[in-house]
C-alpha cells in the first residue's frame, strides 16, 4: 500500500538534499596552530601510555 507524499515530506526531502550537498561540498581548511597542538597531544598520550607502572 503506497501513500501519496505530502507537501511537508517533499519539502523536508528537498531541504535534506540541499544540506547534504552543502555539508559534503565544504573545502577542508588547515589550521596549523591547532593541528600542531593536536599532534603534540597525541604524541604525549602515546608517551604516557607506554610510561609503565613507575610513572603512573
Amino acid at each position: 500500500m503506497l501513500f501519496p507524499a505530502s507537501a511537508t515530506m517533499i519539502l523536508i526531502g528537498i531541504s535534506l538534499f540541499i544540506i547534504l550537498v552543502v555539508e559534503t561540498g565544504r573545502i577542508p581548511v588547515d589550521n596549523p596552530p591547532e593541528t600542531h597542538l593536536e599532534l603534540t597531544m597525541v604524541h604525549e598520550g602515546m608517551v604516557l601510555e607506554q610510561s609503565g607502572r613507575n610513572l603512573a
Side-chain angles (χ1 to χ4, degrees):
M1 183 173 202
L2 295 175
F3 296 103
S6 66
T8 305
M9 293 304 259
I10 292 172
L11 290 175
I12 289 173
I14 290 171
S15 63
L16 287 176
F17 178 74
I18 291 171
I19 291 171
L20 177 75
V21 170
V22 169
E23 288 294 324
T24 57
R26 286 193 284 179
I27 298 172
V29 177
D30 188 25
N31 190 354
E34 288 187 14
T35 305
H36 175 70
L37 180 61
E38 289 177 10
L39 291 175
T40 304
M41 290 169 54
V42 168
H43 184 262
E44 185 69 24
M46 290 172 21
V47 169
L48 291 174
E49 185 175 317
Q50 300 298 324
S51 63
R53 183 180 292 182
N54 296 334
L55 299 176

